[in-house]
Amino acid sequence: MRRAVALIGLFGIVGAGLSLSVLPTSKTAAAPSDQRTFLIPASDGYGVADCLSSKSECGKIVADAWCEAQGFARASAYGLATREDFTGSLSKVKAAPAAAPEQPLVITCGG
């Protein structure tokens, strides 16, 4: 009886070792959705607002780097966010005027 239990244990260990050796060695990751939009404060502390808002070549570089850091291939769009991008829940209700904060930036990654 002890031999049977020992053999079953040995086969279990050998089977587990073989199954681990058959696993793929490449790194697998879940594929992100096709596109995702990120809102970034204009005063983020890195000074990239000028590049992203002017649609210049440095903006493309910064937007692509942001998307790569988030797991996407490249940026499909970037620039100043429209009011609907960050206040879409408000309809045509007029609010009391307040000090206007800096308009956030938007980067859409994907593709």
Side-chain angles (χ1 to χ4, degrees), residues 11-32:
F11 287 134
I13 292 171
V14 170
L18 288 174
S19 69
L20 289 175
S21 67
V22 178
L23 288 175
T25 57
S26 64
K27 183 178 174 184
T28 58

mmCIF file of all heavy atoms in Angstrom, residues 11-32:
data_model
loop_
_atom_site.group_PDB
_atom_site.id
_atom_site.type_symbol
_atom_site.label_atom_id
_atom_site.label_comp_id
_atom_site.label_asym_id
_atom_site.label_seq_id
_atom_site.Cartn_x
_atom_site.Cartn_y
_atom_site.Cartn_z
ATOM 1 N N PHE A 11 4.499 10.035 -9.606
ATOM 2 C CA PHE A 11 3.920 10.369 -10.907
ATOM 3 C C PHE A 11 3.314 11.776 -10.905
ATOM 4 O O PHE A 11 3.375 12.487 -11.903
ATOM 5 C CB PHE A 11 2.870 9.340 -11.331
ATOM 6 C CG PHE A 11 3.468 8.012 -11.746
ATOM 7 C CD1 PHE A 11 2.928 6.833 -11.270
ATOM 8 C CD2 PHE A 11 4.549 7.954 -12.606
ATOM 9 C CE1 PHE A 11 3.476 5.616 -11.644
ATOM 10 C CE2 PHE A 11 5.092 6.740 -12.986
ATOM 11 C CZ PHE A 11 4.567 5.563 -12.505
ATOM 12 N N GLY A 12 2.751 12.160 -9.789
ATOM 13 C CA GLY A 12 2.193 13.513 -9.684
ATOM 14 C C GLY A 12 3.275 14.577 -9.791
ATOM 15 O O GLY A 12 3.111 15.586 -10.481
ATOM 16 N N ILE A 13 4.402 14.353 -9.122
ATOM 17 C CA ILE A 13 5.507 15.316 -9.177
ATOM 18 C C ILE A 13 6.107 15.379 -10.572
ATOM 19 O O ILE A 13 6.385 16.452 -11.109
ATOM 20 C CB ILE A 13 6.570 14.953 -8.120
ATOM 21 C CG1 ILE A 13 6.001 15.174 -6.716
ATOM 22 C CG2 ILE A 13 7.843 15.769 -8.321
ATOM 23 C CD1 ILE A 13 6.873 14.657 -5.601
ATOM 24 N N VAL A 14 6.303 14.208 -11.200
ATOM 25 C CA VAL A 14 6.852 14.169 -12.553
ATOM 26 C C VAL A 14 5.885 14.838 -13.533
ATOM 27 O O VAL A 14 6.292 15.613 -14.407
ATOM 28 C CB VAL A 14 7.169 12.712 -12.970
ATOM 29 C CG1 VAL A 14 7.501 12.627 -14.454
ATOM 30 C CG2 VAL A 14 8.316 12.171 -12.139
ATOM 31 N N GLY A 15 4.595 14.578 -13.399
ATOM 32 C CA GLY A 15 3.595 15.194 -14.279
ATOM 33 C C GLY A 15 3.567 16.700 -14.125
ATOM 34 O O GLY A 15 3.461 17.439 -15.112
ATOM 35 N N ALA A 16 3.673 17.183 -12.896
ATOM 36 C CA ALA A 16 3.687 18.626 -12.674
ATOM 37 C C ALA A 16 4.931 19.257 -13.296
ATOM 38 O O ALA A 16 4.862 20.330 -13.903
ATOM 39 C CB ALA A 16 3.622 18.931 -11.185
ATOM 40 N N GLY A 17 6.071 18.601 -13.166
ATOM 41 C CA GLY A 17 7.304 19.109 -13.759
ATOM 42 C C GLY A 17 7.224 19.165 -15.273
ATOM 43 O O GLY A 17 7.656 20.124 -15.902
ATOM 44 N N LEU A 18 6.641 18.129 -15.872
ATOM 45 C CA LEU A 18 6.487 18.114 -17.329
ATOM 46 C C LEU A 18 5.521 19.194 -17.804
ATOM 47 O O LEU A 18 5.752 19.833 -18.825
ATOM 48 C CB LEU A 18 6.017 16.737 -17.802
ATOM 49 C CG LEU A 18 7.065 15.619 -17.737
ATOM 50 C CD1 LEU A 18 6.415 14.286 -18.099
ATOM 51 C CD2 LEU A 18 8.219 15.922 -18.656
ATOM 52 N N SER A 19 4.450 19.396 -17.067
ATOM 53 C CA SER A 19 3.493 20.425 -17.493
ATOM 54 C C SER A 19 4.100 21.819 -17.411
ATOM 55 O O SER A 19 3.796 22.681 -18.230
ATOM 56 C CB SER A 19 2.213 20.346 -16.659
ATOM 57 O OG SER A 19 2.481 20.747 -15.323
ATOM 58 N N LEU A 20 4.978 22.053 -16.444
ATOM 59 C CA LEU A 20 5.633 23.357 -16.359
ATOM 60 C C LEU A 20 6.643 23.551 -17.484
ATOM 61 O O LEU A 20 6.872 24.669 -17.939
ATOM 62 C CB LEU A 20 6.320 23.522 -15.005
ATOM 63 C CG LEU A 20 5.393 23.710 -13.809
ATOM 64 C CD1 LEU A 20 6.194 23.745 -12.518
ATOM 65 C CD2 LEU A 20 4.581 24.972 -13.952
ATOM 66 N N SER A 21 7.257 22.477 -17.940
ATOM 67 C CA SER A 21 8.240 22.609 -19.018
ATOM 68 C C SER A 21 7.575 22.831 -20.372
ATOM 69 O O SER A 21 8.209 23.266 -21.320
ATOM 70 C CB SER A 21 9.134 21.373 -19.072
ATOM 71 O OG SER A 21 8.375 20.239 -19.462
ATOM 72 N N VAL A 22 6.283 22.557 -20.486
ATOM 73 C CA VAL A 22 5.561 22.715 -21.743
ATOM 74 C C VAL A 22 4.953 24.112 -21.871
ATOM 75 O O VAL A 22 4.581 24.539 -22.954
ATOM 76 C CB VAL A 22 4.458 21.628 -21.853
ATOM 77 C CG1 VAL A 22 3.655 21.784 -23.122
ATOM 78 C CG2 VAL A 22 5.080 20.253 -21.805
ATOM 79 N N LEU A 23 4.890 24.882 -20.798
ATOM 80 C CA LEU A 23 4.310 26.227 -20.828
ATOM 81 C C LEU A 23 5.073 27.117 -21.804
ATOM 82 O O LEU A 23 6.288 26.978 -21.957
ATOM 83 C CB LEU A 23 4.351 26.862 -19.432
ATOM 84 C CG LEU A 23 3.379 26.294 -18.410
ATOM 85 C CD1 LEU A 23 3.633 26.937 -17.053
ATOM 86 C CD2 LEU A 23 1.957 26.549 -18.834
ATOM 87 N N PRO A 24 4.396 28.041 -22.458
ATOM 88 C CA PRO A 24 5.100 28.937 -23.387
ATOM 89 C C PRO A 24 6.067 29.842 -22.635
ATOM 90 O O PRO A 24 5.794 30.281 -21.517
ATOM 91 C CB PRO A 24 3.976 29.742 -24.042
ATOM 92 C CG PRO A 24 2.836 29.639 -23.113
ATOM 93 C CD PRO A 24 2.974 28.318 -22.403
ATOM 94 N N THR A 25 7.186 30.122 -23.255
ATOM 95 C CA THR A 25 8.188 30.972 -22.609
ATOM 96 C C THR A 25 7.987 32.444 -22.922
ATOM 97 O O THR A 25 8.593 33.291 -22.301
ATOM 98 C CB THR A 25 9.606 30.553 -23.063
ATOM 99 O OG1 THR A 25 9.670 30.634 -24.486
ATOM 100 C CG2 THR A 25 9.915 29.135 -22.613
ATOM 101 N N SER A 26 7.162 32.756 -23.918
ATOM 102 C CA SER A 26 6.940 34.161 -24.257
ATOM 103 C C SER A 26 6.018 34.798 -23.230
ATOM 104 O O SER A 26 5.193 34.142 -22.614
ATOM 105 C CB SER A 26 6.339 34.293 -25.655
ATOM 106 O OG SER A 26 5.063 33.705 -25.682
ATOM 107 N N LYS A 27 6.170 36.081 -23.083
ATOM 108 C CA LYS A 27 5.345 36.836 -22.138
ATOM 109 C C LYS A 27 3.981 37.069 -22.762
ATOM 110 O O LYS A 27 3.875 37.594 -23.864
ATOM 111 C CB LYS A 27 6.025 38.168 -21.836
ATOM 112 C CG LYS A 27 5.314 39.002 -20.810
ATOM 113 C CD LYS A 27 6.102 40.268 -20.553
ATOM 114 C CE LYS A 27 5.338 41.192 -19.646
ATOM 115 N NZ LYS A 27 6.033 42.450 -19.453
ATOM 116 N N THR A 28 2.942 36.668 -22.073
ATOM 117 C CA THR A 28 1.592 36.883 -22.576
ATOM 118 C C THR A 28 0.910 37.944 -21.735
ATOM 119 O O THR A 28 1.119 38.034 -20.537
ATOM 120 C CB THR A 28 0.760 35.584 -22.529
ATOM 121 O OG1 THR A 28 0.728 35.111 -21.187
ATOM 122 C CG2 THR A 28 1.369 34.524 -23.435
ATOM 123 N N ALA A 29 0.111 38.748 -22.387
ATOM 124 C CA ALA A 29 -0.623 39.799 -21.691
ATOM 125 C C ALA A 29 -1.989 39.946 -22.347
ATOM 126 O O ALA A 29 -2.160 39.639 -23.522
ATOM 127 C CB ALA A 29 0.126 41.128 -21.766
ATOM 128 N N ALA A 30 -2.922 40.409 -21.574
ATOM 129 C CA ALA A 30 -4.256 40.654 -22.115
ATOM 130 C C ALA A 30 -4.188 41.828 -23.080
ATOM 131 O O ALA A 30 -3.519 42.824 -22.830
ATOM 132 C CB ALA A 30 -5.240 40.952 -20.997
ATOM 133 N N ALA A 31 -4.860 41.697 -24.181
ATOM 134 C CA ALA A 31 -4.863 42.771 -25.176
ATOM 135 C C ALA A 31 -5.751 43.912 -24.693
ATOM 136 O O ALA A 31 -6.871 43.697 -24.242
ATOM 137 C CB ALA A 31 -5.375 42.246 -26.506
ATOM 138 N N PRO A 32 -5.254 45.146 -24.748
ATOM 139 C CA PRO A 32 -6.099 46.269 -24.355
ATOM 140 C C PRO A 32 -7.201 46.493 -25.380
ATOM 141 O O PRO A 32 -7.132 46.013 -26.504
ATOM 142 C CB PRO A 32 -5.125 47.441 -24.325
ATOM 143 C CG PRO A 32 -4.021 47.043 -25.239
ATOM 144 C CD PRO A 32 -3.931 45.544 -25.173
#
